[in-house]
Amino acid sequence: MTKKLFDFDLEFKLGIEAIDNEHIKLVDMLNQTHALLSEGKKDEARVYFGQTLSEYVNEHFTNEEKFMESIGYPGLDEHKKIHENFKKSFQELAPTIDSFDEAAFRKALSDAFTWIISHIGKTDKKYVTFYVSQK
Ligand SMILES: [Fe+2]
Ligand SMILES: [Fe+2]
């Protein structure tokens, strides 16, 4: 069995089920890319990371922004900008993904993983703190 890049730890659960499920799915997708790579399925890894995962990131950001808007979160604009920057950096990875330089691809995957985990633990946590304080 392929070793997982990361196991979704309890501390990354924010307490809002729909959002938590999306975060879990994102981490699963990163693990899945890593697994495909480890099995030597380069083309599948390429398409999975560059399309499936990338599209799901966008979907998640949209859902999360809708949620923040629905609770009147004052940090919405700032959070949206952070999402936009990540989407841009993901788009900039396209040549790396297409040309498939394995070392560069692995670095991109690892960077995306680090970014997503740190974003959940720091930036996403802030709107949850606000949400809880409003209840
Ligand atoms: Fe998120
Ligand atoms: Fe976010």
Side-chain angles (χ1 to χ4, degrees), residues 23 60 64 124:
H23 287 157
H60 168 62
E64 199 171 72
D124 287 352

Side-chain angles (χ1 to χ4, degrees), residues 66-114:
K66 272 188 205 151
F67 175 76
M68 289 188 276
E69 204 168 351
S70 76
I71 60 169
Y73 178 54
L76 174 65
D77 285 347
E78 196 192 332
H79 200 127
K80 269 187 176 172
K81 263 182 224 154
I82 297 170
H83 283 170
E84 282 310 313
N85 285 338
F86 182 72
K87 282 199 253 180
K88 220 183 279 166
S89 58
F90 214 107
Q91 280 159 14
E92 283 164 9
L93 288 175
T96 303
I97 296 169
D98 288 345
S99 64
F100 199 82
D101 165 343
E102 183 153 347
F105 187 95
R106 283 187 183 274
K107 185 177 181 312
L109 176 60
S110 152
D111 288 350
F113 171 77
T114 305

Side-chain angles (χ1 to χ4, degrees), residues 108-132:
L109 176 60
S110 152
D111 288 350
F113 171 77
T114 305
W115 189 92
I116 286 172
I117 290 303
S118 120
H119 181 76
I120 295 170
K122 293 186 189 134
T123 313
D124 287 352
K125 215 168 220 169
K126 287 187 195 165
Y127 70 72
V128 177
T129 305
F130 170 80
Y131 175 62
V132 171

Side-chain angles (χ1 to χ4, degrees), residues 26-91:
L26 278 175
V27 173
D28 278 349
M29 291 175 103
L30 290 162
N31 279 320
Q32 174 66 9
T33 311
H34 177 69
L36 288 169
L37 214 51
S38 304
E39 290 160 16
K41 296 174 179 165
K42 285 182 192 176
D43 283 340
E44 280 180 56
R46 220 165 41 79
V47 173
Y48 194 80
F49 187 63
Q51 289 174 25
T52 315
L53 173 59
S54 165
E55 278 164 23
Y56 191 68
V57 164
N58 293 350
E59 190 182 322
H60 168 62
F61 285 173
T62 302
N63 291 340
E64 199 171 72
E65 287 164 13
K66 272 188 205 151
F67 175 76
M68 289 188 276
E69 204 168 351
S70 76
I71 60 169
Y73 178 54
L76 174 65
D77 285 347
E78 196 192 332
H79 200 127
K80 269 187 176 172
K81 263 182 224 154
I82 297 170
H83 283 170
E84 282 310 313
N85 285 338
F86 182 72
K87 282 199 253 180
K88 220 183 279 166
S89 58
F90 214 107
Q91 280 159 14

